[in-house]
Amino acid sequence: MDILKNLNDKQILAVQNTEGYVRVIAGAGSGKTKLLVSRYAYLVKEYGIDAANILCVTFTNKAAGEMKKRISNLIGPEYSTSLICTYHGFGTRLIREDPEKLFLSKGFQIIDTYQQKTILEEIFQNYELKLDYANFQSILKKIAAKKQDLSYVAKMCIADKNQILPQITTQDDKIIEDYLQRQKAIYSIRLDLSLYTVHIAHEYCCRSA
């Protein structure tokens, strides 16, 4: 079988194991991508799974493009490879299918660093503070730390006005709360998009399964 060509015994075992999850731990250049491509092809060609139902995620567009190319070469271009994408690409696709579930408009935006700075500059001005480079980097780190409490996502997805941080005790807390409220008001998310993806999957996909 061409799908299993040039694979060692352990790789073949991982490719053909179709029950439960398979975890492969291997170093750089050891053939992980080849294994994934072969497993994908095996599930489609030998196990009869619709390629449109197989999600395959990676970190970069370049890696996703390479996987699409190699899989198409193995199983043929007639099969869909639309769900071979980056983590953020999949998250964006999932959320855009039904953004209202997250209290987002269909035209929601993923804000970049420049837009973050613009929002924070307005907030700092309201508190009669100066936003220099050091302050900007510092407050971004504190925002990221606050977002480690994933409960903030659920609060961002409530249509009514509500406090997002569990408690506000310092001026930095006030700034972060204002920032999150602004982010909510303009229907935007940052690169914590993956957290929104987990939230929508947990709240709607897992519960309905």
Side-chain angles (χ1 to χ4, degrees):
M1 185 188 304
D2 288 342
I3 293 173
L4 304 179
K5 187 178 180 180
N6 298 324
L7 297 180
N8 62 39
D9 291 342
K10 289 186 177 180
Q11 287 175 319
I12 292 173
L13 180 63
V15 167
Q16 294 183 320
N17 189 334
T18 58
E19 301 300 323
Y21 67 85
V22 176
R23 180 174 64 176
V24 176
I25 301 175
S30 58
K32 295 188 298 297
T33 301
K34 180 175 178 57
L35 187 155
L36 287 171
V37 168
S38 300
R39 179 173 170 80
Y40 189 110
Y42 181 83
L43 292 174
V44 173
K45 301 291 284 187
E46 303 298 326
Y47 214 63
I49 293 178
D50 187 345
N53 292 331
I54 300 177
L55 172 64
C56 200
V57 291
T58 186
F59 289 102
T60 66
N61 288 320
K62 181 179 179 180
E66 177 64 20
M67 288 192 69
K68 282 186 177 184
K69 180 180 177 181
R70 291 173 66 171
I71 287 171
S72 291
N73 288 340
L74 198 56
I75 65 177
E78 67 272 17
Y79 291 94
S80 171
T81 56
S82 63
L83 284 180
I84 301 175
C85 53
T86 63
Y87 287 95
H88 283 104
F90 172 68
T92 301
R93 175 174 174 169
L94 181 64
I95 293 171
R96 288 202 187 282
E97 286 182 356
D98 200 354
E100 290 84 1
K101 282 186 169 66
L102 297 177
F103 183 55
L104 292 170
S105 70
K106 289 188 178 297
F108 80 88
Q109 59 179 320
I110 301 174
I111 59 176
D112 57 21
T113 303
Y114 175 80
Q115 290 167 306
Q116 279 187 300
K117 187 175 181 180
T118 299
I119 293 171
L120 286 169
E121 281 177 340
E122 294 177 358
I123 295 171
F124 269 61
Q125 286 178 2
N126 290 340
Y127 288 98
E128 298 182 348
L129 298 172
K130 181 181 179 181
L131 182 65
D132 57 23
Y133 178 80
N135 287 335
F136 180 55
Q137 294 300 315
S138 175
I139 201 68
L140 285 185
K141 289 180 181 179
K142 290 177 180 179
I143 290 172
K146 293 291 185 182
K147 287 183 175 182
Q148 295 303 306
D149 179 0
L150 301 186
S151 64
Y152 94 92
V153 177
K155 294 177 181 177
M156 292 283 283
C157 298
I158 296 173
D160 297 331
K161 179 75 173 180
N162 65 302
Q163 181 177 306
I164 296 170
L165 294 182
Q167 58 181 358
I168 301 173
T169 57
T170 68
Q171 186 173 61
D172 281 348
D173 289 341
K174 293 178 182 178
I175 291 171
I176 294 170
E177 176 70 20
D178 287 352
Y179 170 83
L180 293 174
Q181 292 291 350
R182 298 281 186 94
Q183 183 179 317
K184 178 179 177 180
I186 61 174
Y187 301 106
S188 65
I189 55 182
R190 178 53 182 153
L191 291 180
D192 46 359
L193 181 149
S194 57
L195 303 180
Y196 284 80
T197 306
V198 170
H199 176 77
I200 199 170
H202 180 266
E203 290 296 314
Y204 299 99
C205 301
C206 295
R207 291 187 179 184
S208 61

